[in-house]
Amino acid sequence: MELNYNSNSSNSSEDELNEYLLMDFIEENREVQAVEDAIRYFVNSTAERDRSHDLRQRKKRTYFLRDRESANERLVADYFCNQPLYDERQFQRRFRMRKHVFICIVDTLSVDDRFFQQHPDACKQQGATALQKCTTTIRMVAYRCAADQIDEYLKLGATTSKECLAHFVDGVIAQFSATYLRKSTLDDLQHLLREGEDRGFHGMIGSIDRMHWEWKNCPVGWKGMY
């Protein structure tokens, strides 16, 4: 009986050991399978993402026949020909500056910045003129309109309009900062004083708010503001 007991005990211990080894082997296989599944998922997702990226890269860009030449002719007929449709007063109101100042800026930028010079594009079509590009910038700054809103009248897309704005700002700073973006000299102060005296403001230098002047008939909605 004792021998049988020991034999049964040995068999039981061996079965338990085999069962433990089998469970450990199964668990290891599960971990290996999980790692393989993760690697396979990563490889497949990366390949799918690369295919999607390639498809986006190969997508053709839409080209619009904007007819910039007709837009430039219309702009010149409206403001810059010998007998324009809109006079000097309307030009100054819409461009926020006088015509000779605007033309001076256009001519200066056209000489020093190749971006404002007219060149044919990739489709052998003539690009926008300096007048169109500078007018685009002035309209965006003066009216705070969106970049693609200029497209309807001047036939310039949003990307080109943003480039016009960047080149215009850099060009104005580079070409006119030494003359206008500087501290006032003694001659400048004397000129401002003379201008103020001619308009009835003695001793005024650069004041534009007029808040120290009493209004006789101030609008009711502005009561207490001035």
Side-chain angles (χ1 to χ4, degrees):
M1 294 295 295
E2 183 177 356
L3 180 61
N4 293 333
Y5 175 77
N6 291 333
S7 176
N8 293 334
S9 177
S10 299
N11 292 335
S12 177
S13 299
E14 185 177 356
D15 292 340
E16 291 178 357
L17 178 60
N18 292 334
E19 184 179 356
Y20 175 77
L21 293 176
L22 179 61
M23 292 179 61
D24 186 61
F25 176 76
I26 294 174
E27 188 66 26
E28 289 181 357
N29 285 340
R30 289 178 178 174
E31 293 179 357
V32 173
Q33 185 65 31
V35 173
E36 291 179 353
D37 293 341
I39 294 175
R40 190 177 297 107
Y41 174 79
F42 175 77
V43 172
N44 293 335
S45 61
T46 303
E48 184 65 26
R49 186 166 58 251
D50 292 341
R51 285 193 296 269
S52 300
H53 179 71
D54 293 338
L55 289 176
R56 290 195 299 269
Q57 291 293 331
R58 290 195 297 267
K59 184 178 180 180
K60 294 183 178 180
R61 183 177 180 181
T62 304
Y63 179 76
F64 297 96
L65 296 174
R66 287 187 166 88
D67 193 10
R68 297 189 181 96
E69 295 181 358
S70 297
N72 181 70
E73 293 176 359
R74 183 167 57 252
L75 177 64
V76 172
D78 287 343
Y79 297 103
F80 300 103
C81 64
N82 294 329
Q83 294 181 349
L85 177 63
Y86 303 106
D87 57 16
E88 295 278 349
R89 182 179 60 84
Q90 291 172 316
F91 181 95
Q92 184 175 356
R93 182 163 61 96
R94 294 174 179 175
F95 284 74
R96 300 296 194 269
M97 65 179 68
R98 295 184 179 181
K99 183 186 293 187
H100 74 274
V101 177
F102 179 79
I103 294 177
C104 177
I105 295 175
V106 173
D107 293 340
T108 303
L109 296 180
S110 300
V111 173
D112 297 315
D113 192 344
R114 188 177 184 277
F115 176 81
F116 290 99
Q117 300 172 6
Q118 190 177 24
H119 300 282
D121 57 15
C123 298
K124 306 302 180 181
Q125 299 293 330
Q126 285 295 331
T129 63
L131 286 175
Q132 287 174 282
K133 294 178 179 179
C134 292
T135 303
T136 295
T137 302
I138 294 300
R139 292 294 174 87
M140 292 173 60
V141 174
Y143 296 102
R144 299 181 181 180
C145 59
D148 57 352
Q149 188 175 348
I150 311 298
D151 192 8
E152 297 180 357
Y153 177 61
L154 297 171
K155 303 304 180 183
L156 270 72
T159 302
T160 306
S161 298
K162 294 176 183 178
E163 291 180 359
C164 293
L165 178 61
H167 282 267
F168 187 91
V169 172
D170 293 339
V172 168
I173 293 175
Q175 299 300 325
F176 300 100
S177 60
T179 304
Y180 299 101
L181 302 178
R182 58 174 176 78
K183 294 183 178 180
S184 300
T185 63
L186 181 60
D187 293 336
D188 295 332
L189 294 177
Q190 294 296 332
H191 175 72
L192 293 175
L193 289 174
R194 288 195 300 269
E195 290 290 335
E197 291 179 357
D198 293 341
R199 290 169 171 78
F201 299 96
H202 300 281
M204 184 192 73
I205 300 177
S207 177
I208 60 174
D209 51 20
R210 310 290 194 271
M211 296 182 65
H212 56 286
W213 289 82
E214 182 179 358
W215 284 21
K216 179 181 179 181
N217 297 319
C218 183
V220 178
W222 294 352
K223 183 179 180 180
M225 295 177 60
Y226 298 93

